[in-house]
Amino acid sequence: DTLWDIAIAEVEKRENPEGDGEGVEISEKSILFMGNKNGILTKSFFLDREEIPKPTLALEYTFGRRARRHNTPKDIAHFWELGGGTSLLELIRIPITSSNIRAFAIVLVLDLSKPNELWTTMESLLQVTRNHVNKILTKLGKTNPEVATEIKQKMWNNLQKDHPDYELVDPFPLPLVIIGSKYDIFHEFDSEMRKIISKTLRFVSHYYGASLVFTSKSEALLQKARVLINNLAFGFDKSKSVSVDHSRPLFIPAGLDSLNQIGPPPASDSDIGKLRANTPLELWKKVFEKTFPPTSSCDLQYTKDPAQDLQYAEYEVDVMRAQKNQ
């Protein structure tokens, strides 16, 4: 053996003294969190420390590692977070690439306390993500058709072939979890408003083959969201529990709802007859926006100067900058 062979063998022995992890492949997955501006996303789910999370400015990265069992290599999850609501849509193409798309998932966080922003935020973010993913899949179809086919087939994994809605839905091209945040504020809303928002989000989640969970700062509700995220990040078991009662926080893993249970859009037959819609999704959008007219798209203009943000303050640099400006 050369000196290098001996060194490699020694390192492997130290890292894996009992040989348990031999032949175990390290799993590596990526998740992009996105949603309403100022929504505290990744940090709420993964910071164990008593720390006040700072709002995400543009695109932030962090990672997590978990061992499946003692003395095995740790699986890795890459967490990306897009700040700025819908104002920084073009940054979506940075984390999602052809090299990691097979193990990529999306977490969309929607602020339940701002129903007038809800549909616009959801539609903008999912549309841009879907367009970008479709471009990657088109390129892969030419260079690596097996992978492109595998990803397209995986979209349908959450829905059994014998599911009554199999022909009626349009699954999102990547695994998707929709989180309704600020349930504590939402819970104070009028019950009819809560019902409309809940039914609409149930329909959208089911239509896209996504999981849906409502959370607040309550540890019990955050834990439910963590279960879904840990399933995406580390392949942990999915929860089989379901909560579809509109007077309680919703928790519906992908594929466990149905159009029959959700029911028709919350509007009278005569109103539905007057709305011109080409697809079921469009019909739900029109019914929802009748009750909650969308706010202006001022959200798209993100004018804050990052250099003035206190979370990035660096005394020496700032003094030099002030001197230069002077």
Side-chain angles (χ1 to χ4, degrees):
D1 284 359
T2 67
L3 190 58
W4 285 116
D5 293 329
I6 296 165
I8 290 165
E10 182 64 30
V11 169
E12 282 175 355
K13 195 173 159 190
R14 279 187 204 166
E15 286 184 349
N16 190 15
E18 292 167 34
D20 268 4
E22 229 167 275
V24 174
E25 204 178 316
I26 294 175
S27 152
E28 204 167 328
K29 294 185 176 172
S30 302
I31 298 177
L32 171 63
F33 285 75
M34 55 192 187
N36 286 77
K37 191 157 66 176
N38 303 330
I40 295 166
L41 315 178
T42 333
K43 296 121 178 173
S44 310
F45 302 116
F46 297 103
L47 280 184
D48 295 327
R49 302 180 293 282
E50 285 299 313
E51 188 178 309
I52 297 167
K54 294 168 181 170
T56 302
L57 190 71
L59 187 64
E60 265 186 28
Y61 169 81
T62 184
F63 70 93
R65 295 167 77 213
R66 291 257 170 101
R68 272 174 263 185
R69 55 181 194 277
H70 186 57
N71 274 334
T72 58
K74 289 183 174 176
D75 292 337
I76 301 162
H78 305 279
F79 300 110
W80 295 86
E81 183 173 332
L82 181 72
T86 55
S87 62
L88 300 165
L89 292 171
E90 70 279 7
L91 294 181
I92 283 170
R93 60 193 167 79
I94 294 170
I96 311 173
T97 64
S98 53
S99 58
N100 66 11
I101 196 166
R102 284 172 82 175
F104 211 100
I106 303 290
V107 175
L108 174 66
V109 182
L110 299 170
D111 187 339
L112 295 173
S113 70
K114 295 178 180 168
N116 300 78
E117 290 179 18
L118 197 143
W119 194 284
T120 313
T121 302
M122 175 179 70
E123 190 175 54
S124 310
L125 290 167
L126 291 183
Q127 215 167 2
V128 171
T129 308
R130 185 167 217 156
N131 291 345
H132 176 61
V133 170
N134 285 341
K135 276 182 194 166
I136 293 175
L137 290 178
T138 305
K139 278 185 188 169
L140 276 176
K142 292 169 187 167
T143 57
N144 199 339
E146 292 86 5
V147 172
T149 308
E150 179 199 320
I151 292 166
K152 285 172 187 170
Q153 283 172 345
K154 231 169 26 178
M155 287 160 52
W156 293 92
N157 280 1
N158 289 321
L159 217 57
Q160 301 297 326
K161 282 223 166 112
D162 58 357
H163 194 291
D165 306 332
Y166 196 80
E167 302 290 328
L168 304 169
V169 295
D170 183 17
F172 201 70
L174 296 177
L176 174 65
V177 169
I178 296 176
I179 294 177
S181 67
K182 301 191 184 169
Y183 178 78
D184 45 341
I185 300 170
F186 171 76
H187 189 59
E188 303 300 319
F189 284 11
D190 166 73
S191 67
E192 200 50 42
M193 284 170 71
R194 288 206 314 266
K195 189 178 174 185
I196 294 170
I197 296 166
S198 297
K199 276 187 80 162
T200 303
L201 286 178
R202 277 180 69 186
F203 172 79
V204 169
S205 299
H206 183 58
Y207 185 75
Y208 283 135
S211 298
L212 175 65
V213 58
F214 284 2
T215 68
S216 67
K217 288 176 184 169
S218 132
E219 188 52 39
L221 290 184
L222 278 175
Q223 190 52 41
K224 288 198 161 193
R226 281 193 199 108
V227 166
L228 293 174
I229 292 162
N230 279 327
N231 169 255
L232 295 178
F234 301 108
F236 286 17
D237 288 346
K238 270 187 192 172
S239 172
K240 287 281 187 282
S241 72
V242 177
S243 170
V244 294
D245 181 354
H246 297 137
S247 60
R248 301 171 60 79
L250 297 183
F251 180 78
I252 312 167
L256 298 185
D257 211 341
S258 72
L259 295 175
N260 192 32
Q261 283 176 290
I262 297 165
S268 68
D269 290 348
S270 61
D271 279 351
I272 286 177
K274 289 173 199 164
L275 296 170
R276 290 185 178 177
N278 297 322
T279 64
L281 193 67
E282 210 178 305
L283 179 64
W284 278 82
K285 176 185 177 177
K286 288 188 171 177
V287 170
F288 183 81
E289 290 188 340
K290 202 165 182 264
T291 312
F292 304 106
T295 46
S296 66
S297 58
C298 58
D299 189 29
L300 294 169
Q301 277 69 57
Y302 195 66
T303 51
K304 192 175 171 189
D305 178 6
Q308 305 305 317
D309 196 307
L310 290 177
Q311 68 171 306
Y312 301 109
E314 284 188 57
Y315 179 73
E316 289 87 349
V317 177
D318 295 341
V319 167
M320 296 287 279
R321 178 73 185 261
Q323 212 174 331
K324 182 175 184 288
N325 289 345
Q326 210 175 347

